[in-house]
Amino acid sequence: MLTPGPLSQYALGTIVGDDKRNPWFTHNGGNYGYPCIFVAYNRGEGAVVMANGANGFELDIDILRSIASEYNWPDFKPVRHRTVPVDRKTLAGYVGVYRISADNYVAITRDGNGLSLQGTEQGAQHLFPLSHGEFVSSEPVLNGFLNRDDEMRITFTGHGSASRLTFVEAGGAGETAERLADAPAKSNS
């Protein structure tokens, strides 16, 4: 039941981790407003977290990260980043609507002194600058706690104002979105 398939991390009903020295497995479930998740190491340590509410999954992940820190688990600990200040002019150059595919868009808007990203199928997420062209989202991706660095990284490219952005989730190859020239996003500030 804990043997993954040849091309994926999925076993019979569980996802199997990629840590060879400390093998682990996980599964999540629930219904709208009542998410739950469990994670366990093959050596016997583990946790089950159940929450309710609109942000229950995020709470589940936060609690699992706290458990991992408290018990010094080798995986699932919070990822810490150092942010850098980015000037208002640079931030303004990133504001716009970017097309990922024919029916999938993201809008980058000003959010106080920073930026927010809102996609076609998700709510707004605050972005934190790691450099002048690279940002990270604090919102976990689906099953995001599974990865060492689960935050979505966004890299802007182009001269002056950005012409495209690249999303990299959980160390993947990345997905590029082209900026729409005549559809700038409205600022929240």
Side-chain angles (χ1 to χ4, degrees):
M1 289 185 64
L2 297 178
T3 303
L7 301 175
S8 73
Q9 288 183 285
Y10 293 93
L12 286 175
T14 62
I15 297 172
V16 178
D18 60 355
D19 188 339
K20 302 287 186 221
R21 293 180 4 172
N22 299 288
W24 54 267
F25 56 99
T26 185
H27 194 279
N28 67 19
N31 55 26
Y32 182 75
Y34 298 95
C36 55
I37 195 159
F38 86 84
V39 64
Y41 284 97
N42 292 12
R43 64 180 182 252
E45 296 175 278
V48 175
V49 181
M50 303 169 83
N52 64 0
N55 295 322
F57 188 68
E58 289 84 359
L59 178 61
D60 287 349
I61 291 172
D62 285 345
I63 292 171
L64 280 171
R65 288 179 191 256
S66 295
I67 292 168
S69 290
E70 181 66 26
Y71 289 96
N72 201 26
W73 288 356
D75 305 283
F76 318 114
K77 293 178 188 173
V79 177
R80 304 271 186 236
H81 295 288
R82 246 177 225 251
T83 60
V84 299
V86 178
D87 62 85
R88 295 173 76 73
K89 184 178 178 185
T90 301
L91 293 175
Y94 299 144
V95 171
V97 176
Y98 298 78
R99 181 176 53 204
I100 300 169
S101 64
D103 60 349
N104 195 3
Y105 298 84
V106 295
I108 302 294
T109 57
R110 286 299 302 272
D111 179 7
N113 292 327
L115 295 176
S116 284
L117 172 143
Q118 181 159 358
T120 305
E121 299 177 1
Q122 78 233 28
Q125 303 176 31
H126 184 73
L127 300 178
F128 298 93
L130 301 177
S131 70
H132 277 44
E134 184 178 28
F135 292 73
V136 66
S137 166
S138 66
E139 298 297 320
V141 296
L142 181 62
N143 271 341
F145 77 95
L146 301 177
N147 305 292
R148 309 299 182 290
D149 189 356
D150 66 340
E151 290 87 359
M152 176 175 53
R153 289 179 183 251
I154 295 117
T155 305
F156 292 94
T157 54
H159 300 294
S161 63
S163 58
R164 75 177 53 91
L165 59 80
T166 303
F167 299 98
V168 178
E169 292 182 330
E175 187 171 21
T176 301
E178 297 293 326
R179 185 177 186 161
L180 300 180
D182 15 274
K186 195 167 100 175
S187 176
N188 287 339
S189 55

